[in-house]
Amino acid sequence: MRRVGYLWERVVSFENLMAAARRASLGKRSALSAPRFLERAELECVALERELSDGTWRPSPVTTFEIHDPKKRTITVAPFRDQVVHHALIHVLEPIFERRMVAHSYACRRGKGTLRALRHARTMLRRHPWFLKLDVASFFASVEHGVAMAAAERLVKDKRLLRLLSQIVAGPSEPPSLIGLPLGFLTSQWLANLVLDPLDHWILEQLHIAGYVRYMDDLVLFGPDRATLREAREQVEAYLAEKLHLRLKERATVLSPSAGGLPFLGWMLYPGAIRLRPENLRRYRWRLRQRRRQWALGQRSTQQYREGVASLFDLLEAGGARALKRRWANEPWPDL
């Protein structure tokens, strides 16, 4: 694939920055930083355009907090002004990255998502008698900045754009860190997907695996027998270590007949059925209550609320949980 250049002017244009501010503000209008920026968006975007153009823009200090979803994760939040830059950059890079990616990678991509990943995985279970589930250990925290930037440089040759991306990846710390992508940055989601993209192509084009699905760092390979997939596991492990400097999470590896069920994205998938795991049932119910609370407090628009709830209910529908869906839809709203 040919590298793409002449992108910088599109990234730093006033129109792109204004559109980026609108995208970055979705669901965040209750936070103080977003309304303050939007009240004077034209002046803010002019200032950003000037700073980016003359090379004086630098990432600002971030905020971090922990969530349990269900395992503990550290989320990093950039100031709203920096988020506008992230959105402006990804708006230009997304179609370039998207053209490179295989069809069987489902995380953080338009027209993909959890539901489509589950459907594809179930189709593969029906077609193939064995599966191998793999998980990259501490994925976001383990991605080396050099590896992430090399992935971007294979597709982009605009030096100023790559310099900006490198600044975002390195962050505001002094001395700059050399490893780890901040979980919570829009740029991190796309770079993480891009880092594993060569592995996707290698599995499909070199190993000639019969079936495949990836959702960020969760990979499932499907095949005719245990021996084929056991050998594939060794090869994937070697590829990750040699090419990407990553390793597999040993205790998350599952090599099993398809009839025994595949644990994937919080669900148990079988050739003829799909079941939501109890810990994720609790998490989905918490998400529904959270979305209702955010809408009632004005933190989400009516359209955002409807889309969020529809997404959750689509997952329940896919899992055959229609009675549960009806009960949740009719339950009393949480106290505000």
Side-chain angles (χ1 to χ4, degrees), residues 293-312:
R293 183 177 288 108
Q294 289 172 339
W295 179 81
L297 294 173
Q299 297 172 1
R300 281 177 179 264
S301 69
T302 300
Q303 181 180 354
Q304 288 175 312
Y305 168 72
R306 287 174 176 169
E307 289 174 353
V309 172
S311 176
L312 283 175

Side-chain angles (χ1 to χ4, degrees), residues 35-240:
R36 286 174 180 171
F37 187 100
L38 295 174
E39 283 174 4
R40 40 185 314 209
E42 292 84 359
L43 293 175
E44 292 281 5
C45 288
V46 167
L48 273 178
E49 182 180 15
R50 182 177 60 252
E51 291 173 30
L52 291 167
S53 297
D54 63 22
T56 59
W57 181 87
R58 296 291 184 274
S60 301
V62 300
T63 302
T64 61
F65 61 92
E66 291 185 348
I67 63 169
H68 297 265
D69 190 28
K71 60 184 178 182
K72 186 169 75 172
R73 301 176 189 270
T74 299
I75 304 299
T76 303
V77 180
F80 184 78
R81 195 170 191 267
D82 285 15
Q83 293 179 40
V84 173
V85 176
H86 299 177
H87 277 267
L89 184 59
I90 292 302
H91 180 67
V92 173
L93 287 177
E94 180 178 348
I96 298 169
F97 291 174
E98 181 67 36
R99 287 197 295 270
R100 163 69 188 177
M101 294 182 180
V102 302
H104 307 312
S105 169
Y106 286 88
C108 307
R109 297 174 65 189
R110 298 175 193 273
K112 300 288 184 178
T114 304
L115 184 55
R116 289 180 183 271
L118 291 170
R119 286 172 175 167
H120 179 68
R122 275 195 69 199
T123 299
M124 294 298 99
L125 279 177
R126 296 190 191 104
R127 293 180 181 175
H128 307 289
W130 285 81
F131 71 83
L132 169 67
K133 183 178 182 296
L134 303 172
D135 190 352
V136 180
S138 304
F139 178 46
F140 279 84
S142 300
V143 174
E144 295 180 3
H145 294 178
V147 172
M149 289 307 302
E153 289 164 8
R154 283 194 291 269
L155 302 179
V156 176
K157 61 181 179 181
D158 190 307
K159 292 182 180 179
R160 286 182 292 181
L161 185 151
L162 290 169
R163 189 181 304 118
L164 174 61
L165 184 59
S166 180
Q167 287 179 318
I168 294 171
V169 169
S173 60
E174 289 292 342
S177 62
L178 300 176
I179 189 170
L181 297 176
L183 187 58
F185 279 21
L186 178 65
T187 49
S188 296
Q189 295 175 4
W190 277 96
L191 281 175
N193 247 347
L194 199 63
V195 162
L196 290 182
D197 176 72
L199 175 65
D200 296 337
H201 285 272
W202 181 76
I203 287 174
L204 292 169
E205 297 161 13
Q206 301 298 320
L207 291 188
H208 302 291
I209 288 298
Y212 180 64
V213 60
R214 177 171 71 84
Y215 194 96
M216 198 52 76
D217 57 326
D218 289 328
L219 303 81
V220 188
L221 289 68
F222 301 85
D225 52 59
R226 177 190 291 269
T228 298
L229 293 178
R230 181 181 291 161
E231 181 180 354
R233 182 202 176 282
E234 294 174 358
Q235 292 177 292
V236 168
E237 186 173 35
Y239 184 99
L240 282 170

